[in-house]
Amino acid sequence: MKTKWIEWSDNWWVERNEAFFLIEKGGVLFRVDMNSQECNFISRIPGYDLDHSFSNIYCLKYEDVIWAIPAKEHAIWYYSLGEKTWGMIPIHFDHRLAVWMDSYEKNGSELWLIDCGGNKFFKISLSEKKLEKEYVCSYQGLAFTARHIVFDHKLYCVVENKIYGFDCITEKEMLYEIPGLSEDLFLISHDGNNFWLSTRSDNNNIFVWNPKRNAIKEIEVSFSESRSVYLENRWTIYDSPRYMYSIVLGQYVWYIPMQCNTPIVYISGEGYDVHIFDIGEELDTDETLKKRRYAFKYSLLYVCEERYIGLYSFKNSDIFEIDTYTMSVNRKEYVFSDQTLLLLAKQYMSEHGYLREGNKKDERIFSILLELG
């Protein structure tokens, strides 16, 4: 029985031919074979039921331990693949946490997390499985936005129209003023020489700042008027950033949209040539927005082999992969194994005790139990 999973996921850990991820509800951990595209159940975070929403959705792996990083839960969970046991680290923050693919050093034994909207950040020891230290930004009145990056043992995060820096070894703080930039920032990336920045507004343009020269360049990004306007049926989230993710990959920096019909954009790192990567079947209408739970455009699942970008489409409830070498799109068919489907269906039934006629999710559970049970 071939079927897609019920909920979306975020931030897969890809390692050679397999990946690990957690779905948005229930704290359920899966392993996926990237060749066969079959997903298998590993375990569930203790105490989380299958309706437990937006819990620990960010997945990292260190040695043989899978880390489940929360968005809003005040607990970091980790699962030992060898011992098949869960452990937990309490963590207290005021707003929310977030993990992005360039917000940690992949071979490092430390994880740095920021309180998005607050002024705290945290050092997690992955090797010792503990919260090593909590920091508070010493610059008064500043609050971190969602995006931070870590490279060369330094953490950088945008705050208002500035960049906050923290040396992870010396613990020295820095605050960089960006010349001529008045808008609040949202995304931050680094290509080895320059910082790439975008704003919290619906401004299409991208800013490139060179810290050595303290020089900034504004890159004008334009697309058709129909791709710039908001649809009527939007959520409050659409009053904010134009772009949701930025990815430095090869000679280009990619921008993945938050807005409903903003296209994917990629910009050359040298000549700053702007290219539009249009995917026609991803265009939204007011009607398609009404049919789904989230108004987001995409969730960034993975970047692998310095070539492929994996995205979850909220419009089509599927996954596609961009090959940045051939500039082509490949729709993926990741499916649950029958054993995993039956296990999840039985767990769902056990927790709810009944199934509702006319409810799409419950009807899918019923068909799984009927066919496989």
Side-chain angles (χ1 to χ4, degrees):
M1 180 179 186
K2 301 291 185 182
T3 185
K4 299 172 186 175
W5 56 77
I6 295 169
E7 301 292 343
W8 62 276
S9 54
D10 200 324
N11 204 77
W12 293 17
W13 183 273
V14 180
E15 198 170 70
R16 294 180 292 277
N17 294 320
E18 68 177 4
F20 299 88
F21 67 89
L22 295 108
I23 55 175
E24 183 264 343
K25 280 192 174 183
V28 187
L29 175 62
F30 296 94
R31 176 190 280 112
V32 55
D33 185 310
M34 299 295 279
N35 293 322
S36 69
Q37 299 180 48
E38 184 176 82
C39 306
N40 284 282
F41 174 89
I42 296 179
S43 186
R44 278 174 62 190
I45 294 175
Y48 285 15
D49 61 48
L50 288 173
D51 281 333
H52 195 106
S53 182
F54 209 62
S55 52
N56 297 60
I57 59 173
Y58 306 112
C59 186
L60 304 177
K61 184 172 181 283
Y62 179 75
E63 296 180 341
D64 76 332
V65 175
I66 304 296
W67 289 79
I69 311 301
K72 295 182 178 179
E73 298 294 330
H74 291 269
I76 298 172
W77 288 88
Y78 55 91
Y79 181 79
S80 169
L81 294 170
E83 298 175 3
K84 295 182 171 55
T85 56
W86 286 96
M88 188 269 285
I89 301 172
I91 184 168
H92 299 285
F93 49 92
D94 299 320
H95 298 84
R96 65 185 298 271
L97 301 178
V99 171
W100 318 101
M101 291 169 194
D102 51 2
S103 64
Y104 53 87
E105 295 182 284
K106 204 158 189 178
N107 297 319
S109 62
E110 298 170 352
L111 174 65
W112 294 83
L113 300 173
I114 63 169
D115 183 4
C116 305
N119 64 350
K120 295 179 184 177
F121 57 106
F122 309 89
K123 179 182 179 181
I124 310 298
S125 171
L126 302 178
S127 56
E128 298 183 26
K129 301 182 182 67
K130 69 177 185 179
L131 171 59
E132 196 162 300
K133 195 168 182 180
E134 176 181 317
Y135 299 84
V136 177
C137 171
S138 66
Y139 294 99
Q140 300 233 344
L142 291 184
F144 299 126
T145 46
R147 300 299 188 262
H148 70 291
I149 56 176
V150 178
F151 64 92
D152 293 340
H153 306 293
K154 293 182 178 65
L155 177 151
Y156 297 93
C157 182
V158 290
V159 286
E160 300 172 352
N161 61 341
K162 306 172 184 66
I163 295 177
Y164 172 84
F166 180 81
D167 190 308
C168 302
I169 297 175
T170 66
E171 299 188 357
K172 179 183 177 181
E173 293 178 291
M174 299 145 281
L175 191 64
Y176 302 97
E177 302 272 353
I178 312 298
L181 187 59
S182 59
E183 290 188 71
D184 284 356
L185 297 168
F186 184 65
L187 293 182
I188 179 171
S189 293
H190 192 265
D191 65 6
N193 296 303
N194 302 311
F195 287 93
W196 291 67
L197 309 164
S198 66
T199 70
R200 287 193 71 89
S201 71
D202 62 353
N203 187 348
N204 299 340
N205 294 351
I206 304 299
F207 301 87
V208 182
W209 177 59
N210 183 284
K212 289 184 178 179
R213 302 195 314 270
N214 195 26
I216 189 165
K217 178 177 179 58
E218 183 174 2
I219 302 173
E220 184 176 343
V221 180
S222 60
F223 26 82
S224 65
E225 184 178 353
S226 62
R227 303 301 295 272
S228 299
V229 299
Y230 301 118
L231 297 178
E232 288 183 11
N233 185 27
R234 67 184 189 273
W235 289 5
T236 311
I237 195 74
Y238 283 99
D239 296 332
S240 316
R242 177 69 70 183
Y243 306 106
M244 185 74 167
Y245 307 98
S246 58
I247 307 162
V248 178
L249 198 56
Q251 61 180 315
Y252 296 108
V253 181
W254 291 74
Y255 283 86
I256 311 300
M258 176 184 285
Q259 317 283 358
C260 47
N261 277 334
T262 300
I264 295 171
V265 173
Y266 61 100
I267 304 170
S268 62
E270 292 188 2
Y272 303 127
D273 298 317
V274 176
H275 306 269
I276 304 299
F277 195 87
D278 221 343
I279 307 172
E281 56 265 41
E282 292 298 324
L283 289 176
D284 264 309
T285 66
D286 287 322
E287 290 305 312
T288 61
L289 283 176
K290 288 176 184 176
K291 292 177 181 178
R292 66 178 189 253
R293 181 180 168 201
Y294 295 107
F296 297 113
K297 187 67 179 174
Y298 301 116
S299 175
L300 176 60
L301 301 186
Y302 58 83
V303 177
C304 63
E305 299 178 32
E306 295 296 315
R307 175 175 182 173
Y308 301 102
I309 300 173
L311 296 172
Y312 176 83
S313 165
F314 284 95
K315 174 179 180 276
N316 295 307
S317 300
D318 66 2
I319 291 172
F320 65 89
E321 191 175 81
I322 298 173
D323 184 333
T324 63
Y325 286 7
T326 62
M327 296 300 174
S328 58
V329 174
N330 181 23
R331 295 278 171 180
K332 310 297 283 188
E333 293 294 333
Y334 293 106
V335 295
F336 281 141
S337 66
D338 284 355
Q339 181 181 6
T340 293
L341 277 175
L342 184 57
L343 176 64
L344 291 175
K346 287 182 175 179
Q347 289 183 2
Y348 183 86
M349 186 63 188
S350 173
E351 290 173 12
H352 289 77
Y354 61 89
L355 299 173
R356 298 157 291 180
E357 185 177 355
N359 181 283
K360 289 183 179 180
K361 185 173 180 178
D362 285 12
E363 287 180 349
R364 184 180 297 179
I365 297 294
F366 178 76
S367 65
I368 292 170
L369 291 171
L370 193 65
E371 185 169 339
L372 301 177

